[in-house]
Amino acid sequence: MKIGIPQALLYYWYGKYWENFWQTCGCETSTSPTTEHKIIAKGIAVALDELCLPVKIFLGHVAWLGSQVDWIMIPQLIKVEAGAYICPKFMALPDLVRHTLPELTEKLLVVKVGPTKIDMHISLAKAAVKLGLNPKKNHLAAREVKAAFSVSKNQIKIGLLGHPYCLYDPYFNLDLLKHLENNEINYLTPEMMPSENYGNGTRQLNKDLFWTLGRAQFDALEWMLNEQEVIGFIHVTPFACGPEAIVGDLLKRRIRMAGKPYLELNYEEHSGEAGLITRLEAFIDLVKYKNRAC
Amino acid sequence: MGNSYIAVRALLSELGVEPIVPPMVSQRTIALGTKLAPEFSCFPLKVNMGNFQEAISMGAEAILMAGGVGPCRFGYYGELQREALKEAGYEIDFLMLEAPKTHPRELWDRIKKIFPRHQPKDIIRAISLAWLKAKALDTFDKRANEIRAVEKVPGATDRLQQKYYQMIDQTDLAGEIKKYQQNALKELNAFPIKTDFEPLRIMMVGEIYMVLENQVNFQLERTLGRMGVVVTRTAYLTDWIYYELLMSIFKPDWRRGLINIAKPYLKSGFVGGHGLETVAHTVEAGINRYHGVIQLAPFTCMPEIIAMQVLPAVVKDLEIPVLSIIIDEHSGEAGILTRLEAFIDLLNYRHQKQVGGEKNETISWG
């Protein structure tokens, strides 16, 4: 049995775990390639205009897998931690796929996490039992931290804030990370934060945030401000992202309070690379200048 | 939010504070709000920010704001608005009606601090009066939407509605409210009506603020009424309070009906905000042979976008035309009106084809 896993959305957190799970069940897995033009074009063609780019990309990946596998895993992540949702669009992901790609309805393998039982392994196991498989215990940590970081001393560091699928999908963010590396800038992402810092940032808010990805960014921001010598921040968001409209505003206020430069990058399917490079270079110049002046 | 200010004013006056009702939402309100609110926040938040600033300039000292725990963004409005207003230099107290992070008792302390009259009997009296007013307004509005489409004297319903709103707003006696309601309904039902045509019936679904606040949805009910359309609104303040506040405590499973009716199209059930309601009511409209559905949504509203993606399937299966209107600070009245007229034209044409009757000439564009 061949199970397809779309390399989009929270694949960047849980992907390795998912692949490992299905492989231990004796299935063959097939992960869609990193996002490319064909995939985005397909997603845009089938989706409603109002949807955000990451969801369109996800739909493109699902369509790509369509003809090649027996089952396509659709993670319906309602909650992955207590007291916080991810986004309404994640809650309705199977519905969005069914209505945009009706020809694949038979192939969808929905893995529902939450809202009451929050355990990735149990949810996966339930889906496996439905297929008649015998799920095995998996010893990997569920949330795989994507990038270990090494920072050389004399380079300047910039903090990147944003959802994992915005930061790690090079086609989405027009190779932002590569551009930073070319400019000899070190960057930190929320995923690089050591796990003992979970909850540090959100605790300082008056009211608990109820979006997991927003919480992760706040924790990361606090860690970057206090423990790392970060001299500027870039916030990477999809155009018209709901939670980021609120979270971004709170982040911006916190960063302004700390007196750090801040650049907000909005992405949608019409983003042009030249515009990005111009803004990025201007920002890097500013950060470097500010750093020397101090 | 629509006429809810009347009920809230009654509630606060009874609790011993002087409520300040900001002026009706205008272009100025929206401009003020947009200046402080984040660019991609949803439209209700922006309008609210404008309301708050206008209220503060009229002398308001505290803001009463509800909260929530997501996933809809409304739950975090209060926090964001407080921060943004503080940054803009406004000195204002925020009373958040929600369980505080530290201890539930703290909410009670906050309430006691702000309201001079906080004995249980005062609170019960205030709530029952406000409820009575809200109920009286909604009962009238429901009937008014039916009569407006067929009234012989254009604008008669609207004039009566204005008068009635004022009367309800000014009285503080339960008996008078009941009397006004009876009289107004009697007067409304006695209006001369056109009997020579069957009006179109349209269901109005979508995000609750957009549906309730006439000033931001370009008086949709009134406009449609004048075009000879009976509008069924799916969101009313009293219904919202009854279900979202009371039933959530006593019967948490009240959504089951909605989930079941929307199930063939929206398997996920609750998707935050009013996404589920939008889909469920559209299905309901299709089954009950409504002539059309109008969905209202603020720009970037996540639950409504999901509903919008799902609705084409409902449209196809149940053969019910749906018009989705997305509103934000850049929406223009002429644009909305053009689309509405085109939609109604289409519905009329479709209706006549189905009925097979003669062409109907009595419908005039108001």
Side-chain angles (χ1 to χ4, degrees):
Chain A
M1 205 180 299
K2 200 166 175 187
I3 298 202
I5 302 176
Q7 193 180 153
L9 298 182
L10 284 190
Y11 174 86
Y12 295 95
W13 271 8
Y14 299 112
K16 290 277 160 332
Y17 185 76
W18 291 338
E19 282 165 10
N20 188 281
F21 175 86
W22 293 113
Q23 278 157 11
T24 53
C25 286
C27 296
E28 198 186 329
T29 59
S30 163
T31 306
S32 56
T34 48
T35 313
E36 51 187 271
H37 178 71
K38 255 195 327 208
I39 290 177
I40 289 198
K42 177 70 183 167
I44 292 167
V46 296
L48 183 83
D49 294 344
E50 309 298 325
L51 283 170
C52 60
L53 186 55
V55 173
K56 287 176 183 165
I57 290 178
F58 179 83
L59 293 171
H61 280 275
V62 173
W64 188 91
L65 286 166
S67 55
Q68 323 202 353
V69 294
D70 302 315
W71 294 96
I72 304 167
M73 182 184 142
I74 309 291
Q76 185 183 13
L77 308 177
I78 298 173
K79 279 182 176 179
V80 294
E81 61 180 333
Y85 295 89
I86 296 188
C87 165
K89 285 168 199 158
F90 280 70
M91 297 165 74
L93 212 48
D95 284 310
L96 295 179
V97 176
R98 278 193 305 126
H99 287 288
T100 48
L101 301 162
E103 68 275 13
L104 297 179
T105 309
E106 303 291 304
K107 283 190 173 182
L108 302 187
L109 174 62
V110 177
V111 175
K112 184 176 175 183
V113 184
T116 38
K117 201 154 198 108
I118 306 166
D119 189 318
M120 185 65 80
H121 181 73
I122 291 177
S123 305
L124 281 167
K126 268 188 195 157
V129 167
K130 251 184 226 165
L131 294 185
L133 298 169
N134 187 16
K136 301 224 167 49
K137 193 94 193 108
N138 193 324
H139 294 292
L140 278 179
R143 195 190 290 190
E144 167 101 356
V145 175
K146 168 114 180 157
F149 69 106
S150 62
V151 177
S152 52
K153 274 258 155 65
N154 45 13
Q155 281 185 329
I156 58 170
K157 269 188 283 190
I158 282 186
L160 290 181
L161 298 168
H163 297 171
Y165 45 84
C166 301
L167 296 178
Y168 298 122
D169 187 341
Y171 206 91
F172 171 86
N173 61 31
L174 305 171
D175 251 344
L176 175 68
L177 304 190
K178 192 79 154 291
H179 285 305
L180 286 174
E181 276 160 22
N182 289 348
N183 281 296
E184 296 188 337
I185 303 277
N186 269 313
Y187 53 83
L188 297 173
T189 63
E191 280 67 33
M192 291 174 182
M193 183 183 74
S195 56
E196 65 263 24
N197 290 307
Y198 283 146
N200 280 353
T202 22
R203 214 167 294 135
Q204 299 184 5
L205 291 166
N206 280 322
K207 175 178 178 176
D208 283 330
L209 267 177
F210 41 73
W211 298 294
T212 298
L213 298 172
R215 284 184 180 185
Q217 290 179 65
F218 257 98
D219 295 341
L221 174 65
E222 220 46 49
W223 167 69
M224 288 170 188
L225 280 173
N226 296 337
E227 293 178 28
Q228 301 288 325
E229 290 155 356
V230 170
I231 59 168
F233 288 92
I234 298 179
H235 190 205
V236 182
T237 64
F239 172 77
C241 174
E244 289 289 79
I246 307 278
V247 174
D249 195 66
L250 298 167
L251 286 172
K252 190 160 72 184
R253 206 157 274 139
R254 179 76 186 86
I255 293 171
R256 206 185 297 150
M257 234 164 63
K260 303 279 186 195
Y262 166 86
L263 173 69
E264 190 182 330
L265 294 174
N266 268 307
Y267 288 91
E268 46 133 280
E269 54 265 41
H270 306 299
S271 303
E273 199 172 5
L276 168 78
I277 293 174
T278 314
R279 295 181 63 194
L280 201 60
E281 283 177 351
F283 180 70
I284 291 170
D285 279 349
L286 172 108
V287 168
K288 280 185 175 160
Y289 176 76
K290 194 166 183 269
N291 196 36
R292 261 203 307 275
C294 294
Chain B
M1 197 154 94
N3 55 30
S4 60
Y5 71 91
I6 295 175
V8 178
R9 168 142 59 193
L11 178 77
L12 295 181
S13 320
E14 284 297 305
L15 290 174
V17 294
E18 184 195 346
I20 290 184
V21 179
M24 285 288 173
V25 177
S26 61
Q27 282 304 317
R28 179 171 178 267
T29 319
I30 295 172
L32 279 173
T34 331
K35 219 162 75 185
L36 291 191
E39 187 185 357
F40 290 126
S41 59
C42 38
F43 195 45
L45 188 147
K46 295 178 183 172
V47 179
N48 262 179
M49 287 290 258
N51 289 147
F52 289 164
Q53 290 173 66
E54 286 184 328
I56 293 170
S57 64
M58 287 166 73
E61 289 163 30
I63 289 172
L64 189 71
M65 188 70 197
V69 288
C72 172
R73 283 176 280 180
F74 176 73
Y76 228 84
Y77 274 20
E79 284 303 315
L80 194 129
Q81 287 164 337
R82 173 165 61 199
E83 294 289 316
L85 286 175
K86 204 165 78 187
E87 203 175 72
Y90 292 104
E91 291 285 329
I92 189 96
D93 257 347
F94 252 86
L95 175 61
M96 307 283 282
L97 289 181
E98 62 182 342
K101 210 171 164 178
T102 42
H103 197 273
R105 231 196 121 67
E106 206 177 287
L107 175 66
W108 181 241
D109 292 340
R110 273 190 245 157
I111 292 177
K112 270 206 298 207
K113 207 175 82 190
I114 291 194
F115 297 112
R117 282 198 241 157
H118 53 260
Q119 297 301 320
K121 71 171 200 299
D122 292 326
I123 293 177
I124 289 171
R125 205 184 48 220
I127 289 179
S128 61
L129 184 73
W131 173 257
L132 208 60
K133 281 193 176 187
K135 198 77 199 164
L137 294 171
D138 284 353
T139 315
F140 181 86
D141 282 358
K142 263 179 209 167
R143 189 74 190 125
N145 278 345
E146 290 166 9
I147 298 290
R148 192 182 288 119
V150 289
E151 63 187 6
K152 263 191 178 151
V153 187
T157 310
D158 294 338
R159 280 193 292 277
L160 180 63
Q161 194 174 30
Q162 289 304 329
K163 206 174 80 190
Y164 177 64
Y165 277 10
Q166 260 174 23
M167 276 157 63
I168 294 286
D169 195 15
Q170 277 158 10
T171 183
D172 276 331
L173 300 168
E176 274 187 359
I177 297 174
K178 281 180 192 149
K179 202 178 74 199
Y180 289 155
Q181 183 185 338
Q182 275 169 3
N183 291 346
L185 279 176
K186 217 183 277 170
E187 197 177 331
L188 188 65
N189 287 330
F191 276 170
I193 55 168
K194 302 176 196 161
T195 46
D196 51 347
F197 81 103
E198 189 200 343
L200 292 176
R201 288 183 306 140
I202 282 188
M203 198 174 257
M204 195 167 150
V205 301
E207 199 272 335
I208 187 167
Y209 185 86
M210 291 321 215
V211 173
L212 288 191
E213 179 56 74
N214 285 322
Q215 297 298 121
V216 302
N217 68 25
F218 302 101
Q219 312 271 7
L220 195 63
E221 281 168 275
R222 201 166 290 177
T223 317
L224 286 173
R226 285 180 188 162
M227 291 179 180
V229 176
V230 173
V231 182
T232 308
R233 213 163 85 188
T234 53
Y236 281 93
L237 182 69
T238 45
D239 290 347
W240 185 81
I241 294 172
Y242 183 70
Y243 286 110
E244 296 275 339
L245 300 183
L246 285 180
M247 291 303 248
S248 300
I249 300 170
F250 300 116
K251 190 168 166 254
D253 208 28
W254 64 270
R255 265 204 193 92
R256 182 58 52 194
L258 291 173
I259 292 177
N260 282 342
I261 196 173
K263 194 141 210 170
Y265 307 100
L266 193 67
K267 284 215 176 88
S268 327
F270 177 65
V271 292
H274 290 79
L276 171 65
E277 278 86 342
T278 299
V279 177
H281 287 308
T282 308
V283 174
E284 189 192 327
I287 293 170
N288 290 330
R289 292 276 159 241
Y290 272 72
H291 297 106
V293 172
I294 292 182
Q295 181 201 12
L296 289 173
F299 181 56
T300 77
C301 175
M302 303 171 281
E304 293 301 326
I305 291 176
I306 294 167
M308 222 177 280
Q309 179 76 71
V310 169
L311 286 183
V314 185
V315 171
K316 212 170 131 200
D317 286 0
L318 299 174
E319 294 183 345
I320 179 145
V322 175
L323 173 69
S324 295
I325 297 181
I326 300 176
I327 297 178
D328 75 350
E329 64 267 29
H330 302 298
S331 297
E333 189 173 1
I336 303 276
L337 207 64
T338 313
R339 292 172 62 194
L340 275 182
E341 285 178 356
F343 185 62
I344 302 298
D345 266 349
L346 180 112
L347 294 186
N348 264 323
Y349 175 72
R350 200 168 167 268
H351 179 50
Q352 276 149 23
K353 225 166 102 183
Q354 276 169 354
V355 177
E358 285 167 38
K359 204 155 183 265
N360 202 333
E361 298 291 352
T362 47
I363 299 162
S364 58
W365 307 122

